[in-house]
Amino acid sequence: MPVLWPIDFLRRTPLQLEAKLSYVRQLTSPMTNPNHPFLAACRREKTPYTPVWLMRQAGRYMEEYRELRAKFSFLDLCKRPDLAAEITVTPVERLGVDAAILFADILLLLEPMGVPLEYSSEDGPLIHRPVRTGADVDRLKEFDPEKSLSFVFDAIRKSRAALNGKVPLIGFSGAPFTLASYLVEGGGSRSYVHTKRLMYSDPGAWRTLMERLSQAIVEYLNAQITAGAQAVQIFDSWVGCMSPEDYQQYVLPHTRATIRGLTQGIPVIHFGTGTAGLLKLIRAAGGDIIGLDWRVNLDEAWEQVGYDVGIQGNLDPAALLAPPDEIRRKVAAILRRAGGRPGHIFNLGHGVLPDTPVEHVIAMVEAVHELSAR
């Protein structure tokens, strides 16, 4: 297929150039179908059915994952490319979804910045030395993702080989705000008081922190693209704690810079939770596909962000605990709201819950494919 180079191609950084060349190699590879329904939906093109994949597609709800998790720590699974690839590919084979998402964690890029991580089964990720002052921000290290996170890119290459072109592979990272909040809070939070205190009391330190994270994310995701990721998702899981005014001032410029720094031609999914009041601003920050949680009606959200972008979502993860007939009814309701418009990717409004029966997930995937067939 002909390659159309962007006008500013020669002005891009070496890493962006390599990622762009990798993308072109992917398009011309016999292992890749650029018209796969997921990739076509990312371009808002017509598809034979609505593609579907799931956040936390590989997780504790799957027996195969639990068996591995009983033998290895979470970080060990992330840092063993063979195991990470196995976990990435297994749900595709088991569920019949239309995309694989790399098994990794949004916080992995914090370790080479000099931030030790601990993963507690009860409390999730813990950072024992939070970043709460300008001096703490200054101590963060610059790093080369190709060297420091080589296991991630090895996992991408192994996953692509194992998938053998069956479905596209999605890479991902946390967004600058969510990563900053983890760094400042030291773990989960309900009020984000430490994050907002730094943001309000030392805006210079906050800006420096967000700029450093943005640049690190750009380099990390472009390296994922170079390794073979065919789309990327930016998770802003905690941004729903922000008011629209604060989002516009303290978050939007940095998320926009992140998305603009990514390799052109690779679809970007921009996802956040609790964002019903931020949707127009999230759209302004960028992304080819805007991911929705379940707290907003899909048709109303799509109208807000505009039909010149796609929409991903947005079934309540708890709906998968319902009987299959009720799951099918809820799937149909979301598809009706999408109205068959090109650019809809079916997903949950957040990750699969650990108690979800695998059979219910399969029933959802089958319902999406059957009810959306065109």
Side-chain angles (χ1 to χ4, degrees):
M1 61 181 293
V3 177
L4 300 178
W5 300 101
I7 293 174
D8 65 340
F9 180 78
L10 295 177
R11 294 200 296 269
R12 305 183 77 76
T13 67
L15 186 56
Q16 288 174 316
L17 290 173
E18 177 56 32
K20 181 66 183 181
L21 292 170
S22 174
Y23 173 59
V24 172
R25 288 192 292 268
Q26 291 175 38
L27 287 182
T28 57
S29 167
M31 289 178 59
T32 299
N33 176 11
N35 295 317
H36 185 280
F38 170 80
L39 294 175
C42 288
R43 300 190 298 267
R44 291 179 289 111
E45 296 173 358
K46 292 183 178 180
T47 56
Y49 57 84
T50 299
V52 53
W53 68 279
L54 305 170
M55 289 177 278
R56 292 201 199 116
Q57 193 157 269
R60 287 175 287 171
Y61 76 101
M62 297 194 73
E63 181 181 359
E64 296 90 336
Y65 177 81
R66 292 195 300 271
E67 290 176 355
L68 283 173
R69 189 66 179 82
K71 300 174 184 178
F72 301 95
S73 71
F74 177 74
L75 275 178
D76 284 340
L77 293 177
C78 291
K79 294 181 178 181
R80 285 273 303 269
D82 55 335
L83 297 179
E86 179 182 345
I87 296 170
T88 298
V89 174
T90 296
V92 175
E93 300 172 341
R94 185 81 184 275
L95 306 176
V97 290
D98 298 294
I101 184 165
L102 177 69
F103 178 78
D105 188 77
I106 65 171
L107 302 184
L108 290 178
L109 62 76
L110 298 184
E111 279 197 316
M113 298 182 79
V115 182
L117 296 174
E118 176 188 345
Y119 286 82
S120 164
S121 57
E122 293 81 17
D123 302 318
L126 297 175
I127 294 171
H128 295 294
R129 292 184 60 194
V131 173
R132 293 182 178 168
T133 67
D136 293 334
V137 173
D138 290 340
R139 280 196 291 270
L140 294 174
K141 301 176 182 177
E142 295 184 0
F143 70 99
D144 179 352
E146 293 276 9
K147 295 179 180 178
S148 302
L149 297 168
S150 59
F151 56 87
V152 173
F153 315 122
D154 288 342
I156 290 174
R157 286 184 280 267
K158 288 180 180 292
S159 297
R160 281 293 306 273
L163 290 168
N164 195 31
K166 182 177 181 181
V167 299
L169 177 65
I170 304 169
F172 70 93
S173 173
F177 177 81
T178 290
L179 293 184
S181 296
Y182 266 111
L183 279 172
V184 177
E185 299 293 334
S189 176
R190 292 185 178 181
S191 62
Y192 302 92
V193 62
H194 298 297
T195 301
K196 293 184 179 182
R197 177 181 291 126
L198 177 63
M199 193 170 67
Y200 297 144
S201 64
D202 195 341
W206 175 260
R207 183 173 58 254
T208 299
L209 174 60
M210 292 288 277
E211 287 174 350
R212 290 189 180 184
L213 288 171
S214 174
Q215 183 58 37
I217 294 164
V218 167
E219 293 177 0
Y220 179 48
L221 286 179
N222 280 339
Q224 289 188 31
I225 293 166
T226 299
Q230 294 155 284
V232 293
Q233 175 157 310
I234 296 175
F235 284 85
D236 219 348
S237 308
W238 287 2
V239 78
C241 74
M242 298 291 282
S243 70
E245 181 180 357
D246 284 349
Y247 180 92
Q248 186 166 17
Q249 180 176 353
Y250 297 107
V251 179
L252 189 154
H254 307 289
T255 305
R256 177 185 284 156
T258 301
I259 293 173
R260 287 182 174 177
L262 300 179
T263 303
Q264 291 187 7
I266 293 291
V268 177
I269 304 168
H270 184 180
F271 171 75
T273 57
T275 56
L278 302 174
L279 287 175
K280 289 185 178 180
L281 293 171
I282 287 173
R283 167 66 182 92
D288 302 289
I289 303 287
I290 304 301
L292 306 175
D293 71 8
W294 67 95
R295 301 175 181 90
V296 61
N297 290 327
L298 185 142
D299 53 342
E300 296 170 2
W302 207 342
E303 184 177 11
Q304 278 193 61
V305 300
Y307 299 123
D308 57 338
V309 292
I311 284 288
Q312 179 174 280
N314 65 332
L315 183 68
D316 185 341
L320 292 181
L321 303 176
D325 286 349
E326 178 65 9
I327 293 172
R328 184 180 178 89
R329 188 190 71 78
K330 289 184 177 295
V331 166
I334 290 174
L335 290 174
R336 279 196 300 272
R337 290 187 180 277
R341 181 177 287 108
H344 179 213
I345 298 170
F346 200 99
N347 207 314
L348 303 180
H350 206 266
V352 181
L353 298 172
D355 295 333
T356 303
V358 173
E359 294 75 16
H360 289 196
V361 179
I362 294 172
M364 184 209 73
V365 172
E366 291 177 346
V368 173
H369 287 160
E370 179 186 342
L371 297 175
S372 67
R374 294 180 267 277

